[in-house]
Amino acid sequence: IRVAAHFDEGKRLYDEKKYEQARAHFEAAAKWRPAIGYLQRVGWCLTQQGRFEEAVFPYSRAVRLAKGIKEVNWVAMEWVESCISAGR
């Protein structure tokens, strides 16, 4: 339940463009249950803040958790799309 609460609050804050606060919730969710989606969202928050170099770490962790090339490709494409949407 704790993971779901952090994830839901992170999504709400992200939608409100409160990226730093959202990142804290996504990081808490990832701490309790390391998962690709939680780590990607940490990366999204950092990317939206222009912190591209810092975003490498959560995306790299997500790639290491990926099971197979399809998930690796998915993480990579999400990273590229995140950078593009952030204006870089």
Side-chain angles (χ1 to χ4, degrees):
I1 292 176
R2 181 179 304 183
V3 172
H6 278 298
F7 182 71
D8 290 343
E9 184 65 7
K11 286 191 312 186
R12 185 186 69 74
L13 291 164
Y14 186 89
D15 289 344
E16 293 176 5
K17 299 184 186 322
K18 296 178 180 177
Y19 302 120
E20 187 64 27
Q21 294 167 310
R23 182 175 64 90
H25 284 280
F26 293 138
E27 285 177 340
K31 177 183 175 187
W32 287 99
R33 185 179 303 143
I36 292 171
Y38 301 153
L39 293 167
Q40 282 181 292
R41 284 170 173 81
V42 171
W44 290 357
C45 292
L46 291 167
T47 301
Q48 289 300 322
Q49 294 178 291
R51 296 161 64 181
F52 298 97
E53 292 78 15
E54 290 176 67
V56 170
F57 182 70
Y59 281 112
S60 296
R61 284 186 61 206
V63 166
R64 284 193 298 276
L65 290 174
K67 296 176 182 147
I69 193 69
K70 284 179 108 175
E71 285 188 356
V72 170
N73 285 338
W74 175 55
V75 172
M77 290 308 299
E78 285 285 328
W79 191 359
V80 169
E81 289 174 11
S82 177
C83 288
I84 291 169
S85 74
R88 181 161 189 189

